[in-house]
Amino acid sequence: MRRFRLVPPIDLRDLIERFADVEVVAIPGDCDGLVVGLHGPADRPVILVRSEGSKLRRRFTLAHELGHVLMPWHLGGGFLCDTGRVVDFDESVRASAAEAQANRFAAELLVPSTWLDERLAELGADRAEPLLAAIREANISAEVACLRLMAALPAGHVFVIPGSGNRVVLSGQTPGTGVYPPDAGEELDRARLDRFSESAETVSYGTRRVLWWRVMGTGERVALDTGPRSSTEVLRDALGRHTGGVDLQQSLSSVVGAAYGNAFREGDTAAEALLVRFRGRFAKERGLPDGLLHDDDFELWLRKRALELAARARER
């Protein structure tokens, strides 16, 4: 990208035609694009792109296929690519390593990290609307825009793109946030995310809506004076008011323990970071009474456990 001094919106066709021929054709099945003659006898490979679908999807597919052409270790006669399944940019997704690498190449080509960092420095990270408005200049889909922002923003941000029937199309979080938004295909219940967030936005992006949250506690200091009651006593008082005698103490403690375990393995055990993770764990539907989640003692219990477990981590 630096070699060609590219600035969004990238003129993809002009760039690609330096390395390959392009044809937009009808392609059956789930294939969005493919490269033929990548290492064949012809002088130039040919990129075939599906004619159906949105222009933004074809644009990402073109960038993805160019990645296959330019990465010399992508060997073989060709690649059949379903770029409609882009839900992340790493090998953990249902794709081969080569497909994940081509996705990352396409994302970096369309939204260069240096350009994105400049937009973040200019606009800040407090509000999603100006960030998404700026990144639309790159002429990319809402899905790709959100994933690129998730990789660049600090911890504490969550997004959901809902579709028809209020079902989630795509969701995600910035690294270290610890919030578990509903997965793709699940029904969106935004009340829990609202409960544990300090701000929420709904942003229009083309034909999509993007819901965006900043998680409570981002950059917050956890008060050292949390009262004389132990964390166990605080939790029991809250449970006594909302559960009708049902003992949820062990299951609640297990949720917090799992979040702490992940934080410890990642070396992120400051009380403030733990509190954000704990809140995020309960932003996911767990069948708990709404009254319990809104009880001041529940919040106090999370704070006490954050302080206790942060002290335990320091001792280890």
Side-chain angles (χ1 to χ4, degrees):
M1 272 67 85
R2 291 175 182 171
R3 172 187 171 190
F4 294 104
R5 299 179 181 178
L6 300 176
V7 176
I10 309 300
D11 186 342
L12 271 181
R13 292 300 288 264
D14 178 70
L15 178 63
I16 290 172
E17 287 173 358
R18 307 182 193 195
F19 305 99
D21 296 322
V22 177
E23 296 182 23
V24 180
V25 297
I27 303 177
D30 295 326
C31 179
D32 288 303
L34 63 152
V35 181
V36 295
L38 186 56
H39 298 287
D43 292 336
R44 289 162 58 89
V46 177
I47 294 175
L48 303 179
V49 181
R50 187 187 185 101
S51 57
E52 296 85 355
S54 71
K55 292 181 179 179
L56 294 182
R57 183 163 170 174
R58 287 200 299 274
R59 180 172 168 79
F60 187 85
T61 300
L62 280 169
H64 174 105
E65 303 305 334
L66 179 60
H68 288 311
V69 171
L70 294 184
M71 286 185 272
W73 58 92
H74 283 207
L75 304 173
F79 291 88
L80 304 176
C81 306
D82 178 5
T83 56
R85 292 167 60 183
V86 173
V87 295
D88 207 338
F89 298 128
D90 61 43
E91 284 86 348
S92 65
V93 184
R94 297 167 296 175
S96 69
E99 289 301 287
Q101 290 163 6
N103 283 343
R104 288 200 300 273
F105 175 93
E108 180 65 30
L109 173 62
L110 296 173
V111 189
S113 294
T114 52
W115 179 84
L116 182 55
D117 288 343
E118 290 171 359
R119 304 288 81 71
L120 291 174
E122 173 188 351
L123 299 170
D126 290 338
R127 295 189 58 236
E129 193 279 331
L131 289 174
L132 287 169
I135 206 170
R136 282 192 70 181
E137 296 176 15
N139 200 12
I140 55 174
S141 68
E143 291 85 344
V144 174
C146 287
L147 290 171
R148 288 297 281 145
L149 284 173
M150 285 297 105
L153 286 168
H157 298 267
V158 179
F159 80 92
V160 170
I161 300 178
S164 60
N166 209 34
R167 296 285 173 178
V168 174
V169 173
L170 185 66
S171 65
Q173 58 175 315
T174 50
T177 299
V179 171
Y180 288 82
D183 295 325
E186 294 182 3
E187 185 173 358
L188 172 62
D189 177 8
R190 64 173 296 168
R192 292 182 183 275
L193 286 166
D194 288 345
R195 164 69 181 89
F196 293 103
S197 298
E198 61 186 27
S199 65
E201 297 178 66
T202 300
V203 182
S204 294
Y205 190 110
T207 60
R208 294 288 197 192
R209 283 186 305 128
V210 178
L211 308 184
W212 195 282
W213 294 265
R214 288 191 74 228
V215 178
M216 280 176 59
T218 306
E220 170 185 355
R221 293 288 297 173
V222 179
L224 296 177
D225 182 9
T226 53
R229 288 177 297 165
S230 69
S231 60
T232 300
E233 291 171 333
V234 171
L235 180 58
R236 284 177 179 169
D237 289 345
L239 291 174
R241 288 191 290 271
H242 301 286
T243 61
V246 178
D247 187 5
L248 297 176
Q249 184 170 345
Q250 183 174 352
S251 62
L252 294 173
S253 296
S254 296
V255 172
V256 165
Y260 169 72
N262 288 337
F264 186 83
R265 286 189 290 274
E266 296 169 13
D268 189 20
T269 55
E272 293 77 15
L274 290 176
L275 181 58
V276 171
R277 287 178 183 258
F278 296 167
R279 285 168 171 160
R281 289 286 178 140
F282 290 104
K284 189 173 180 67
E285 173 58 50
R286 298 184 181 277
L288 298 172
D290 286 338
L292 174 65
L293 297 178
H294 287 81
D295 194 301
D296 289 343
D297 270 351
F298 187 80
E299 169 68 14
L300 179 59
W301 174 66
L302 294 179
R303 287 175 173 270
K304 282 182 172 287
R305 291 302 288 150
L307 288 166
E308 291 167 356
L309 293 171
R312 179 188 298 179
R314 289 194 297 271
E315 295 170 356
R316 296 178 66 171

